[in-house]
Every structure is written in C-alpha cells, then in structure tokens.
Amino acid sequence: MATYTLPELPYDYAALAPVISPEIIELHHDKHHAAYVKGANDTLEQLAEARDKESWGSINGLEKNLAFHLSGHILHSIYWHNMSGDGGGEPHEKDGVGELADAIAESFGSYAGFKAQLTKAAATTQGSGWGVLAYEPVSGRLIVEQIYDHQGNVGQGSVPILVFDAWEHAFYLQYKNQKVDFIEAMWRVVNWQDVARRYAAAKERANTLLLAP
Ligand code: MN
C-alpha cells in the first residue's frame, strides 16, 4: 500500500509573484507541506506499532495527529493547483467554467455574496485555519467552510474545491499581520479552470457516497 508523497508544484517558485513571493512558496511547499506528508506517514507507522503491541495508551493523540497531518497534506495538494499566475477574474468570464459560475450564483445568491463570504471566513480565522469552498453532496449545494487547523469545523462528506490557506506561514514573510490584504490578493491568482474541474469531479463522486437523493 502506498504511503503519502509530496507532490511537485505545478509551477516554479516565482510563478505567483507579486501576490505570493517566491520565498514563501518555496518554504511553504518544501518545508511546511513536506512536514505534513512526513507526519501522516509517521502516524500510520505509529498506529501499526500500536496494533502490533496492543498498546493503546496514545490512541487519542495518534488519531488526532492522523487527521491533522492527512488533512494538511490534502488541503495543500489542492491549494497549489487552485492558483495560477494566469488566474484571477470571475468564473463567468472564463472558458469552460459556466457550470461552476451558475452553481456559485445559485448557492450564494450572487458571485459578490460568495466572494464576500469566503473572504471573511478566511480572513477571520482565529489562530490557524483555512477558508474553503466545498461541494456538499447531500444538498448538491456549494458551501463555505471555515476550517480550524486543517481538520476541524468540517461538514462530513463535503469536498473542498477552492481553498485559501490562512495560516501565518502562508503570508507572514510578505504581508506581516495584514491577513485581510493577503486574502483579498489571493483572488488575483485563483485558477477557475482547476476549481471547475474539481466541482465536476465532486458532483460525480456524490453518487458514490450513497448520500445524494
Ligand atoms: Mn499552509
């Protein structure tokens, strides 16, 4: 069975400048994301050891670590592809993104309402967290989630399709304490084609969850 591996960036470190500096991208991917990959693999090993030894004294901590590192790995893997140096603008202006643009308008009333909600959710995270646009398979709606750390405050079954990293490591070297400025700048690099691809895949997957009507 495979272990987790750090995916390569789909662009070079400077591709998202000036919105995100090359120094941040390098540290964020090569050090922070890599640490979550290692953490997930290490925790799986520790759980295997616990099973072998029938030693369950650390089970609560191990399960928490697994959720933290695995969710960190998954969110960052989405994050890199959600951004592009050619990104930005609004989804209805882009080729091949019409279904996503319609779903945003239906779920949130308008694109402006959606953008304001995701910006606020990301910019007001307390401590470390994420603002996320997710497909919710029971209702077929898009929802915004404000995630604590990498794994808390999530509706089970929802599939993240656009993720804004609001941890300080994502912006502090460049934006200092101005988290709102960073989140507002993020809209200039959103890769709407990637988000639309994830939306279509999430809708497909909903049928396999045995949740959708
Ligand atoms: Mn991060």
Side-chain angles (χ1 to χ4, degrees), residues 28 32 36 76 79 130 150 165 167 169-170:
H28 198 169
H32 292 278
Y36 301 129
H76 285 92
Y79 181 64
W130 298 71
H150 304 304
D165 192 336
W167 283 55
H169 69 223

Side-chain angles (χ1 to χ4, degrees), residues 12 24 26 31 33-34 38 40 46 65 86 90 96 100 103 105 107 109 132 135 139 143 152 159 171-172 177 192 200:
D12 63 40
I24 288 179
E26 181 172 1
K31 304 296 183 189
H33 187 170
K38 182 175 188 306
Q46 290 158 12
N65 287 347
D86 299 322
E90 299 188 10
L100 171 67
S107 298
V132 166
Y135 178 76
S139 63
I143 59 172
V159 181
F171 65 89
Y172 206 85
N177 62 327
W192 287 112

Side-chain angles (χ1 to χ4, degrees), residues 104-120:
I104 287 173
E106 280 174 34
S107 298
F108 298 97
S110 66
Y111 176 77
F114 152 71
K115 186 178 176 185
Q117 185 177 342
L118 181 51
T119 300
K120 278 289 177 196

Side-chain angles (χ1 to χ4, degrees), residues 20 24-25 27-29 32-33 36 71-80 82-83 118 121-123 125 127-133 145 147 149-150 162-172 175 179-180 182-184 186:
I20 308 179
I24 288 179
I25 296 294
L27 279 169
H28 198 169
H29 175 268
H32 292 278
H33 187 170
Y36 301 129
S71 299
H73 172 41
I74 288 172
L75 287 174
H76 285 92
S77 297
I78 298 168
Y79 181 64
W80 308 124
N82 276 169
M83 299 184 287
L118 181 51
T125 49
S128 298
W130 298 71
V132 166
L133 172 66
E145 299 179 317
I147 294 180
D149 294 330
H150 304 304
L162 172 61
V163 302
F164 283 5
D165 192 336
W167 283 55
E168 284 191 344
H169 69 223
F171 65 89
Y172 206 85
Y175 291 85
K179 181 154 68 172
V180 177
F182 168 62
I183 298 300
E184 285 178 352
M186 277 293 301

